[in-house]
Amino acid sequence: MPENTKSATKARLYDAFAASGKALASGKRLELLDLLAQGERTVDALAKAAGLNLTTASAHLQTLKQAGFVATRREGVRIHYRLDGDDVAQLFALLRKVADRHQAAVPAARDAYLGDDGGAELSREELRTRVEAGDVVVLDVRPVEEYQAGHIPGAISIPVDELAERLHELPEDTEIVVYCRGEYCVLAYDAVRLLTNRGRRAIRLNDGMLEWRLSELPVDASDLT
């Protein structure tokens, strides 16, 4: 192959790589991937959850689809989106971790967003050990549709915006382990702050459902507990 031809084909290859990077170069598109990592959703539901109007959400989703990150199915007039493979979820999770380690602005933005809940947390392995011992209650504070799409086996579903009114549903004498979407999800932080302010013993899983799935740990998609 002539050198100029080899150079041109190499350029096309790296431009193809770069197209994936360009599709990820939007905070809102990353937020949509975060939501889709929890399960399939309609365009309307994604727009509402991400705080976008329908037109803008659709445009972002089309960009992600053109890059091969999401796939669709039609049900009547509704279009449902999902991640097009676990490797997309892995890429999203890795991107966040790399940015946290190497992008100077991330730690301060992370801390400002998540806030402080006392810092108590435990790992997935520690949680599994304590669940087997029966000395904790596992609480999923994501929206109900995310819980129904897949949750940690045995977890109780109480969305964080309902927690204050449904506190009586949780035992008073058992420590509560809270989780939500992933390591950078504020819902678990908010829940732990609320629970501890009400005198309950509560700690966080140190990541969430995204990392649990990617670790190929058991996932339950049964009805509400």
Side-chain angles (χ1 to χ4, degrees), residues 43-222:
V43 180
D44 290 355
L46 287 165
K48 182 179 179 180
L52 297 169
N53 63 51
L54 196 58
T55 300
T56 302
S58 296
H60 282 311
L61 289 165
Q62 282 302 307
T63 298
L64 292 170
K65 185 177 181 182
Q66 288 166 8
F69 291 140
V70 301
T72 60
R73 70 176 179 88
R74 182 178 290 275
E75 185 177 27
V77 298
R78 292 180 177 272
I79 297 176
H80 298 254
Y81 279 82
R82 65 183 185 277
L83 294 188
D84 196 12
D86 288 342
D87 53 350
V88 179
Q90 291 165 351
L91 175 62
F92 170 66
L94 181 60
L95 173 63
R96 296 197 306 189
K97 295 295 287 185
V98 170
D100 202 344
R101 291 172 184 160
H102 299 282
Q103 173 59 253
V106 171
R110 176 198 64 210
D111 293 345
Y113 174 56
L114 298 177
D116 181 20
D117 64 354
E121 59 183 27
L122 77 169
S123 68
R124 278 168 263 136
E125 193 55 44
E126 289 170 329
L127 174 59
R128 296 184 74 193
T129 299
R130 295 196 62 183
V131 167
E132 289 176 3
D135 67 349
V136 296
V137 170
V138 183
L139 177 62
D140 186 319
V141 295
R142 298 173 299 157
V144 170
E145 62 269 23
E146 295 181 19
Y147 175 89
Q148 292 175 325
H151 55 269
I152 295 174
I156 296 170
S157 172
I158 304 181
V160 68
D161 57 0
E162 300 176 12
L163 185 56
E165 296 179 355
R166 297 175 59 185
L167 201 59
H168 63 278
E169 298 179 25
L170 298 170
E172 296 184 6
D173 57 351
T174 306
E175 189 165 50
I176 302 165
V177 180
V178 183
Y179 76 93
C180 56
R181 291 168 179 151
E183 184 176 357
Y184 300 91
C185 177
V186 75
L187 304 180
Y189 284 78
D190 289 343
V192 168
R193 282 188 284 264
L194 187 154
L195 289 165
T196 54
N197 286 340
R198 299 294 183 90
R200 300 300 185 93
R201 292 185 296 132
I203 58 176
R204 276 183 298 103
L205 181 63
N206 65 359
D207 42 42
M209 199 63 217
L210 170 62
E211 294 84 1
W212 186 275
R213 284 183 183 275
L214 291 178
S215 296
E216 299 184 346
L217 292 171
V219 174
D220 192 350
S222 62

Side-chain angles (χ1 to χ4, degrees), residues 5-24 66-67 69:
T5 302
K6 184 182 294 185
S7 178
T9 55
K10 179 181 179 181
R12 286 198 296 273
L13 172 62
Y14 278 85
D15 284 343
F17 292 152
S20 292
K22 289 177 183 177
L24 298 176
Q66 288 166 8
F69 291 140

